[in-house]
């Protein structure tokens, strides 16, 4: 549409040319259309002008109606901006010859807002009946105005029947209000209230006064009475004040800021508060809205009229939010004690995000607590150390381990020294050491925890894990028994014990001792609940049974185990895996593999893929060398056929993680290729595409991938997907390859076929000699196994970290062997030359 | 979260028993089926304050607001203990006029919109 078809634009253009006489240059119809358009656009002032001109030309009824509409619109707009006086002037233009306003509620609202109560009352009486009329809202308004002491001017009184009928009710209401306000007895007030019908417009008065008589003694009843007054009533403000007057002090305080001045005055009078208290509350409320500094100043101003200790405590609370008031505080109340000062400074630093500074001040608080004889001081120290742990974990600038060491462990240990009863802290520390693979500290703290919290199920579960890690099965069983005494339905403990026994049975099988394995599995069965049979245990029993007592019984056990393990490919794979772990030869495995092959027909669905992935992700698959490769050889191609299923990002991530852990990058690449094009932008898919391409090695990233990874990282951080962001960070740190790593810097040896740095090796070898004394102590304290593990960890952080794990383990075992040679019992040596593999001390 | 001492209405020096007593009283007064939001707040406050460690953590690590609250609460005590006051007619009148203004608030959308029955003008002023 061109400009000429828009009446507003045409009129605007004409106005520019000649603002004095627009009507003379356009047709009345155009001007009317422009006026209507102005109304539509909310340009009421211009609409009024337009229609005024038209009405002057020709007072057509429709133009007069439009003019009134424009006036009302203008008045509404003005009232909306709080310009009630101006709105009222505009509305006067809409009053018809009979005195009726075009929008009476707007008109009444403006009158009341402007304080013209009598005029409003007169208008209501003249044009809308009065209290007792069938218009509830109007009657409610009239009742409120009358009770507020407003009498209509003589000219406004209509001597009609309704008015007359309402007079006795009004008198009763006034009497009741006067009696209550004058402090007359409840009975007198009640009697006056009897004259107010519950159908009359004065019903809210009756309800409010009844509630106030019932008072705080019958608060529930009072609330119910007040709840009967509708929120849109003119009595609603009084109702809210009445409710506040009845409320408990805490509730009233919470409500105070939302009360109007009249409501606050009502509460103060009803509760007998002093005028000064009311002023004080108002001042504090107002200052509190501005901020802590203003509140601090308001409190200090009030210091003479309030208890000094309370003012001091209040001001001290505000100082962290208004640190520049600290000198003022100290000038008024004296210098802060070191503890308080450092605490305040720590809070101020935290508010600024200055974490190193906050840490320093919190440590100063701890030092100040050390000097105190307060019995609460140790607990306070523990609280602060836990806080420091949280800060170190959440703020990178505090957790620079290369320079500052493991601060999380340090603060956790310090906290536990201050408060050894802190179970949560103990578990946190145990978890921390476990996660970092620091076996020695882990075991040490688990032992301490078991002594201190012998009946805590989480501690006992950690003790089972720690004992299992040391291959101390008997000890693990002892803990598990204790745990099941406390918590007989603990499935996790039962499952773990079965796993441990089955794992040991495998070793017996590999040593060609099916008889011992059978006994082992019988012991595992003791941990089974009759209502929850274990699939892996049944499979193991079936396989060992086939060796010991071939026959239908063993086959049936195996079949039951397969069924319990999910049947299908997952169950059959479980059986084949178990047989493989027991050291079955290819020939003996053949029937199981044949059975497995039968299941590998066609593409797997989602459930099948997820079940197999769950099995591949189990610890025994990864723990036994070559097993993962073997399993992937069996089911890898079949699994890849399932890549075309529709995977959610979460499912995809779970599958991808297992594949990465098994280094099955080709299968991962197949899954990535099957991601639908419309989903290709999803960060999860993009990240694993890069992982698949680089085979999990960040040093193989090209520039474009490097950039893309940064972009993905930004995206996942923005959507607060911290799991994926941590995963990407780990990938960049090369954690999963074991190359590089996030540990400290320093020189690295290359074991990838290149020439190692001979100088470095020599230097390191000299260091090894010096370490042997320590290793002897280690063996004495931790046993040979523990010493080997501890050395493994130490070397994992040393320049030898790049050494292949097997080689590293051999080195550690040799060191332990050498260090403990004089003490070793002859029977435990397996020969000379290559150091003996440490035995599993099952009966530790 | 609101100051848990405030929510439970206990002082910072309250012990385990007092916290528990107050919690049970509040749960009885505000059961979850009647006031679920308040119940949640009470429950959360109790979880924070149920142990000496939790209370100490609140006192040491948060800037709180309890002292200020206590101060304000002292202002809500009656001038003469145990004696409540009388509300003047003037205060009631002020409340009623405030209520009248609010119920026909011209700045409030919708509320002042519909004309009362039998009061609509012809619009031809």
């Amino acid at each position: 549409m061109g400009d000429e078809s828009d009446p507003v634009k045409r009129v605007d253009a004409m106005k520019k040319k000649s603002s004095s006489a627009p009507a003379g240059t356009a047709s009345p119809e155009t001007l009317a259309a422009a006026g209507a358009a102005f109304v539509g656009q909310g340009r009421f002032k211009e609409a009024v002008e337009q229609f005024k001109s038209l009405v002057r030309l020709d007072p057509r009824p429709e133009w007069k109606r439009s003019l009134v509409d424009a006036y009302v619109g203008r008045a509404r707009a003005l009232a909306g901006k709080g310009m009630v006086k101006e709105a009222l002037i505009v509305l006067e233009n809409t009053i018809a010859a009979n005195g009726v306003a075009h929008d009476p509620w707007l008109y009444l609202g403006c009158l009341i807002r402007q304080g013209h109560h009598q005029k409003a009352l007169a208008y209501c009486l003249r044009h809308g009946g009065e209290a007792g009329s069938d218009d509830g809202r109007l009657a409610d308004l009239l009742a409120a105005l009358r009770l507020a002491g407003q009498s209509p001017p003589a000219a406004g009184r209509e001597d009609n029947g309704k008015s007359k009928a309402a007079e006795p009710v009004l008198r009763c209401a006034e009497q009741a209000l006067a009696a209550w306000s004058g402090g007359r007895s409840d009975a007198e007030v009640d009697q006056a209230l009897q004259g107010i019908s519950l159908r009359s417009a004065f019903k809210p008065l009756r309800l409010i006064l009844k509630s106030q008589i019932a008072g705080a003694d019958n608060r529930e009843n009072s609330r119910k009475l007040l709840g009967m007054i509708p929120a849109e009533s003119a009595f609603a403000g009084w109702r809210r004040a009445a409710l506040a007057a009845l409320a408990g002090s805490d509730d009233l305080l919470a409500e105070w800021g939302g009360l109007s001045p009249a409501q606050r005055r009502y509460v103060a009078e009803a509760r007998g508060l002093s005028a000064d208290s009311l002023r004080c509350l108002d001042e504090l409320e107002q200052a509190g809205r501005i901020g802590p500094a203003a509140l601090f100043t308001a409190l200090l101003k009030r210091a003479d009229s309030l208890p000094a200790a309370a003012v001091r405590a209040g001001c001290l609370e505000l100082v962290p939010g208004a640190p520049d008031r600290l000198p003022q505080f100290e000038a008024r109340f004296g210098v802060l004690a070191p503890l308080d000062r450092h605490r305040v400074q720590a809070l101020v630093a935290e508010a600024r995000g200055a974490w190193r500074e906050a840490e320093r001040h919190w440590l100063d608080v701890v030092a100040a607590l050390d000097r105190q004889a307060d019995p609460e001081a140790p607990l306070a120290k523990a609280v602060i150390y836990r806080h420091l742990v949280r800060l170190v974990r959440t703020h990178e600038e505090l957790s620079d381990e290369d320079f500052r060491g493991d601060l999380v462990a340090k603060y956790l240990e310090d906290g536990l020294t201050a408060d050894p009863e802190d179970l949560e802290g103990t578990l946190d520390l145990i978890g921390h050491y476990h996660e970092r693979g620091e076996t020695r500290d882990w075991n040490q703290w688990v032992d301490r925890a078991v002594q201190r919290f012998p009946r805590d199920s989480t501690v006992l579960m950690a003790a089972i894990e720690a004992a299992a890690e040391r291959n101390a099965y008997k000890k693990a069983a002892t803990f598990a028994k204790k745990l099941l005494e406390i918590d007989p339905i603990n499935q996790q403990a039962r499952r773990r014990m079965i796993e441990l026994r089955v794992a040991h049975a495998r070793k017996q099988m590999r040593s060609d001792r099916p008889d011992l394995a059978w006994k082992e599995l019988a012991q595992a069965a003791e941990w089974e609940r009759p209502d929850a049979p274990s699939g892996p245990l049944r499979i193991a029993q079936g396989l060992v049974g086939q060796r010991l007592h071939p026959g239908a019984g063993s086959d049936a056990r195996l079949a039951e185990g397969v069924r319990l393990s999910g049947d299908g490919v997952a169950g059959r794979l479980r059986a084949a895996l178990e047989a493989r772990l027991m050291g079955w030869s290819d020939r003996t495995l053949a029937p199981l593999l044949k059975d497995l092959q039968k299941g590998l027909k066609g593409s797997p669905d989602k459930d099948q893929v997820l079940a197999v992935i769950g099995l591949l992700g189990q610890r025994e698959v990864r723990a036994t060398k070559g097993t993962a490769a073997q399993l992937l050889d069996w089911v890898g191609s079949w699994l890849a056929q399932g890549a075309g299923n529709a995977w959610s990002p979460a499912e995809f991530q779970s599958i991808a993680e297992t594949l990465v852990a098994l280094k099955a990058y080709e299968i991962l690449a197949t899954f990535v290729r099957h991601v639908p094009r419309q989903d290709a932008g999803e960060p999860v898919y993009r990240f694993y595409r890069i992982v698949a391409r680089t085979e999990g090695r960040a040093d193989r990233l090209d520039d474009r991938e490097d950039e893309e990874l940064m972009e993905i990282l930004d995206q996942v951080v923005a959507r607060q997907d911290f799991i994926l962001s941590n995963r990407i960070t780990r990938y960049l740190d090369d954690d999963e390859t074991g190359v590089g790593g996030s540990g400290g810097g320093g020189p690295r040896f290359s074991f990838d076929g290149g020439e190692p740095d001979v100088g470095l090796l020599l230097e390191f070898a000299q260091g090894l000699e010096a370490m042997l004394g320590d290793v002897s102590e280690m063996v004495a304290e931790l046993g040979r196994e523990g010493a080997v593990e501890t050395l493994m960890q130490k070397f994992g952080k040393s320049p030898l970290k790049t050494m292949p794990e097997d080689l590293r383990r051999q080195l550690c075992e040799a060191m332990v062997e050498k260090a403990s040679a004089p003490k070793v019992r002859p029977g435990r040596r397996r020969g000379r030359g290559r150091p003996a593999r440490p035995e599993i001390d099952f009966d530790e | 979260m609101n100051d848990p001492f405030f929510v439970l209405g206990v002082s910072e020096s309250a012990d385990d028993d007092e916290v528990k007593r107050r919690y049970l009283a509040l749960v009885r007064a505000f059961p979850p089926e009647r006031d679920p939001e308040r119940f949640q707040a009470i429950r959360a406050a109790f979880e924070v304050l149920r142990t000496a460690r939790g209370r100490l953590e609140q006192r040491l690590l948060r800037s709180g607001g309890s002292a200020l609250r206590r101060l304000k609460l002292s202002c809500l005590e009656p001038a003469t203990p145990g004696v409540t006051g009388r509300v003047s007619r003037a205060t009631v009148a002020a409340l009623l006029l405030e209520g009248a203004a609010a119920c026909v608030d011209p700045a409030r959308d919708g509320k002042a919109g519909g004309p009362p029955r039998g009061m609509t003008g012809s619009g031809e002023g």
Side-chain angles (χ1 to χ4, degrees):
Chain A
M1 293 283 264
D3 279 356
E4 294 201 355
S5 63
D6 185 341
V8 172
K9 286 184 179 167
R10 282 176 64 190
V11 170
D12 281 345
M14 283 186 293
K15 274 185 183 174
K16 276 182 194 166
K17 284 182 189 165
S18 165
S19 60
S20 57
T25 54
S27 74
E29 283 67 28
T30 306
L31 293 174
F38 282 135
V39 170
Q41 292 170 5
R43 294 164 66 181
F44 298 109
K45 195 175 173 187
E46 283 145 305
V48 165
E49 292 305 318
Q50 206 70 27
F51 287 117
K52 256 162 84 176
S53 310
L54 284 166
V55 169
R56 251 185 254 128
L57 282 174
D58 180 4
R60 290 188 206 169
E62 67 268 25
W63 290 347
K64 284 167 80 179
R65 267 199 301 279
S66 297
L67 176 58
V68 168
D69 286 341
Y71 274 131
V72 171
R74 172 94 180 119
R76 272 184 189 282
L78 288 167
K81 290 179 197 161
M83 299 166 74
V84 181
K85 188 179 172 186
E86 290 76 2
L88 195 54
I89 293 168
V90 173
L91 281 174
E92 297 284 353
N93 292 310
T94 71
I95 294 176
N98 61 359
V100 176
H102 184 68
D103 184 341
W105 282 113
L106 183 61
Y107 181 58
L108 278 171
C110 291
L111 283 175
I112 293 170
R113 273 293 159 109
Q114 277 303 101
H116 303 320
H117 299 116
Q118 287 196 339
K119 203 170 172 184
L121 196 60
Y123 184 89
C124 292
L125 286 171
R126 197 182 308 123
H127 301 292
E130 60 175 291
S133 83
D134 59 355
D135 188 321
R137 190 177 171 199
L138 189 69
D140 178 77
L141 178 63
L142 267 172
L145 289 173
R146 294 303 297 268
L147 274 178
Q150 303 299 322
S151 337
R157 286 183 192 143
E158 294 286 318
D159 206 10
N160 59 35
K162 279 182 186 171
S163 173
K164 273 186 184 170
E167 281 303 317
V169 188
L170 174 62
R171 271 199 302 281
C172 281
E174 279 176 337
Q175 276 169 12
L177 184 56
W180 177 72
S181 189
R184 311 291 278 273
S185 71
D186 292 352
E188 280 178 85
V189 178
D190 208 32
Q191 196 177 358
L193 289 176
Q194 299 296 321
I196 301 172
S197 150
L198 283 177
R199 287 196 306 274
S200 91
F202 293 96
K203 175 184 164 185
L205 174 81
R206 183 171 164 166
L207 295 170
I208 290 172
L209 295 191
K210 282 265 188 194
S211 78
Q212 301 296 281
I213 291 168
D217 298 337
N218 197 349
R219 200 170 283 172
E220 199 46 47
N221 192 34
S222 299
R223 278 207 189 95
K224 275 185 190 157
L225 290 169
L226 291 169
M228 291 161 73
I229 300 170
E232 61 275 15
S233 165
F235 289 82
W238 187 2
R239 167 180 159 258
R240 185 172 180 189
L243 272 170
L246 289 169
S249 296
D250 286 329
D251 291 335
L252 174 57
L253 202 54
E255 176 88 342
W256 193 260
L259 298 179
S260 71
Q263 285 167 334
R264 289 181 189 180
R265 202 161 62 241
Y266 179 92
V267 174
E269 288 179 9
R271 293 173 77 112
L273 312 186
S274 71
D276 191 51
S277 295
L278 181 60
R279 257 197 312 281
C280 178
L281 271 173
D282 284 346
E283 281 169 18
L284 296 181
E285 181 63 36
Q286 205 173 352
R289 284 174 202 266
I290 300 169
L295 193 50
F296 183 95
T297 309
L299 257 186
L300 274 194
K301 268 190 202 160
R302 280 266 159 197
D304 294 332
S305 59
L306 292 168
V311 174
R312 183 189 181 280
C315 285
L316 185 57
E317 276 179 356
L318 293 167
V319 171
D324 55 334
R325 295 290 193 271
L326 185 56
Q328 215 175 330
F329 178 91
E330 292 193 323
R332 177 83 190 205
F333 300 106
V335 176
L336 275 175
L339 191 152
D340 284 330
R341 169 175 281 274
H342 290 305
R343 181 184 155 269
V344 165
Q345 285 171 329
L347 290 172
V348 170
E350 283 189 11
R352 283 205 325 267
W355 304 110
R356 288 294 274 266
E357 196 185 323
E359 181 194 27
R360 206 180 61 239
H361 285 304
W362 283 124
L363 290 173
D364 288 339
V365 174
V366 169
L369 282 164
D370 274 334
R371 293 190 291 273
Q372 282 197 349
D374 186 349
E376 252 189 355
L379 188 56
K381 279 168 57 182
V383 163
I384 291 170
Y385 280 126
R386 281 311 297 277
H387 183 58
L388 286 169
V389 169
R390 280 193 290 271
L391 293 185
V392 172
R393 278 183 171 148
T394 45
H395 302 291
E396 218 169 293
E397 64 178 284
L398 294 180
S399 56
D400 188 353
E401 214 171 288
D402 287 350
F403 293 99
R404 311 187 76 212
D406 182 0
L407 277 183
V408 169
K410 182 192 177 319
Y411 287 144
L412 278 170
E413 287 194 10
D414 288 347
L416 289 172
T417 307
D419 175 23
E421 294 300 322
D422 178 11
L423 172 61
E424 201 185 320
T426 306
L427 291 171
D428 197 353
L429 185 59
I430 289 171
H432 178 76
Y433 280 136
H434 189 198
E435 197 178 296
R436 292 170 63 95
E438 293 178 15
T439 316
R440 183 181 174 181
D441 292 317
W442 178 40
N443 283 318
Q444 206 174 43
W445 279 96
V446 167
D447 288 346
R448 282 194 205 184
V450 170
Q451 280 169 19
R452 194 164 281 278
F453 309 102
R455 294 188 61 79
D456 184 86
S457 55
T458 323
V459 167
L460 288 171
M461 198 64 224
I464 294 170
E465 285 301 329
E469 194 93 357
R470 297 198 302 263
N471 294 328
Y473 294 98
K474 266 201 171 171
K475 206 165 183 179
T478 311
F479 290 133
K481 277 180 186 152
K482 266 190 196 172
L483 175 52
L484 291 172
E485 275 170 25
I486 302 163
D487 180 9
I489 55 166
N490 190 310
Q491 286 290 358
Q492 198 189 353
R494 288 179 186 279
R495 197 170 48 241
R496 191 73 187 106
M497 287 315 297
I498 292 171
E499 273 174 21
L500 292 174
R501 292 284 175 186
V502 170
H504 202 241
R506 280 179 206 136
K507 287 184 181 163
Q508 305 286 16
M509 287 293 282
R510 286 202 296 271
S511 309
D512 205 19
R513 295 297 306 268
D515 53 328
L516 295 181
W518 186 253
K519 277 187 191 166
E520 202 64 57
L521 293 175
Q523 284 178 314
E526 288 171 13
W527 295 97
E528 227 182 359
R529 273 172 58 131
D531 57 340
S534 159
L537 175 59
R538 289 284 188 281
I539 288 175
Q541 284 173 328
L543 293 173
V544 175
Q546 283 183 349
R547 199 55 96 70
L548 269 184
H549 329 283
S554 300
D555 293 347
R557 270 181 196 273
L558 182 60
E560 188 193 359
V562 168
R563 185 180 56 76
L564 289 170
S565 300
D567 226 343
V569 174
R572 290 167 190 174
L573 185 62
R574 171 92 238 178
L577 165 67
E578 193 57 64
R580 171 79 168 78
L581 293 172
M582 284 180 176
W584 283 26
S585 65
D586 289 349
R587 192 178 57 79
T588 44
L589 258 173
L592 291 173
L593 290 180
K594 199 174 164 189
D595 199 27
L596 175 64
Q597 286 298 329
K598 280 183 202 164
L600 300 178
K601 298 275 187 313
S603 299
D605 61 20
K606 280 179 76 167
D607 289 344
Q608 287 173 311
V609 171
L610 289 173
V612 169
I613 283 289
L615 181 59
L616 292 176
Q618 288 189 358
R619 72 176 95 188
E620 56 261 45
V621 174
R622 275 181 280 176
T624 318
K625 202 177 165 187
T627 306
Q630 179 77 81
L631 293 192
L632 288 171
D633 190 36
W634 292 338
V635 297
S637 325
W638 174 81
L639 204 56
Q641 287 178 49
N645 287 299
W647 303 106
S648 70
E651 288 167 337
F652 189 93
Q653 191 167 2
S654 146
I655 294 168
E657 273 308 303
T658 305
L659 295 174
V660 169
L662 301 175
K663 301 195 187 310
Y665 297 110
E666 270 185 38
I667 304 178
L668 177 60
T670 309
F671 272 79
V672 172
R673 269 199 304 278
H674 279 84
V675 169
R677 189 169 294 173
Q678 68 269 20
D679 297 336
E682 161 62 40
V684 170
Y685 306 135
R686 290 171 71 193
F687 169 62
Y688 286 105
R689 180 173 48 73
I690 293 174
V691 173
R693 218 275 313 151
T694 57
E695 299 193 336
R697 291 186 54 170
D699 58 342
R700 291 180 180 172
L701 283 170
D702 61 30
D703 290 348
R704 195 181 47 78
E705 285 167 336
D706 210 27
E707 246 173 58
E708 187 179 356
L709 213 50
M710 289 302 117
E711 190 195 317
I712 296 171
L713 197 56
D714 285 346
Q715 266 184 35
V716 296
V717 168
R719 73 179 188 192
Q720 302 198 326
D721 180 353
F722 298 118
I723 294 176
L724 187 57
S725 71
N726 286 338
R727 181 66 189 83
I728 296 172
T729 313
R730 267 195 295 129
Y731 166 75
L732 288 170
D733 287 346
D734 257 344
D735 264 2
E736 73 250 18
T737 61
V739 182
S742 56
R748 295 178 187 175
F749 294 107
S750 166
F751 292 93
D752 57 4
E755 279 291 309
D757 184 329
V758 177
L760 273 177
L761 274 173
L762 196 63
E763 193 184 317
F764 192 74
Q766 285 162 354
L768 288 182
E769 280 297 317
M771 275 174 73
L772 284 176
D774 292 345
V775 177
S776 298
E777 277 177 30
M778 230 183 264
V779 173
E781 195 182 331
L782 299 173
R784 290 149 55 96
E785 280 288 299
V788 169
E789 289 308 322
T790 309
L791 282 173
M792 284 289 284
Q793 282 163 27
K794 283 192 176 213
F795 287 174
K797 293 175 191 168
S798 77
L800 285 185
K801 69 176 110 185
T802 53
M803 182 188 272
E805 196 177 330
D806 280 1
L807 197 58
R808 189 147 39 106
R809 187 169 285 281
Q810 279 182 32
L811 176 64
C812 295
E813 286 169 355
M815 285 181 72
V816 168
E817 197 72 11
K818 186 171 180 186
S820 55
K823 297 171 204 160
V824 173
R825 282 176 286 161
R828 300 192 75 162
R829 296 288 293 269
R830 281 187 176 173
R832 301 176 68 177
R834 192 176 178 276
R837 291 279 306 173
E839 281 179 35
I840 296 162
D841 185 5
F842 191 71
D843 293 329
E844 182 191 74
Chain B
M1 183 188 151
N2 285 332
D3 177 5
F5 291 104
F6 180 92
V7 175
L8 283 196
V10 292
S11 74
E12 288 185 354
S13 57
D15 60 10
D16 288 0
D17 283 347
E18 193 183 339
V19 169
K20 194 169 177 182
R21 225 177 14 251
R22 181 74 185 141
Y23 166 68
L24 292 175
L26 284 173
V27 166
R28 271 195 295 275
F30 304 100
E33 62 276 13
R34 196 182 335 143
D35 196 343
E37 240 173 67
R38 183 151 186 173
F39 174 80
Q40 284 298 334
I42 292 166
R43 177 86 208 144
F46 175 66
E47 282 303 321
V48 171
L49 300 186
R50 66 191 303 175
T51 61
R53 174 181 269 268
R55 294 191 291 277
L56 203 53
E57 200 169 302
Q58 286 298 309
R59 275 164 46 198
L60 279 170
L61 307 179
R62 313 273 175 270
S63 30
S66 315
L68 207 59
R69 180 176 61 90
R70 277 199 302 278
L71 224 151
K72 287 180 179 175
L73 283 175
S74 72
C75 293
L76 289 176
E77 295 298 318
T80 314
V83 177
T84 50
R86 289 180 199 163
V87 179
S88 68
R89 286 292 299 268
T91 301
V92 170
L95 269 179
L96 285 169
L97 291 178
E98 208 174 73
C103 86
V104 287
D105 184 0
R108 208 167 45 179
D109 281 339
K111 289 282 178 192
R117 233 177 317 163
M119 284 178 70
T120 319
S122 66
E124 293 173 35

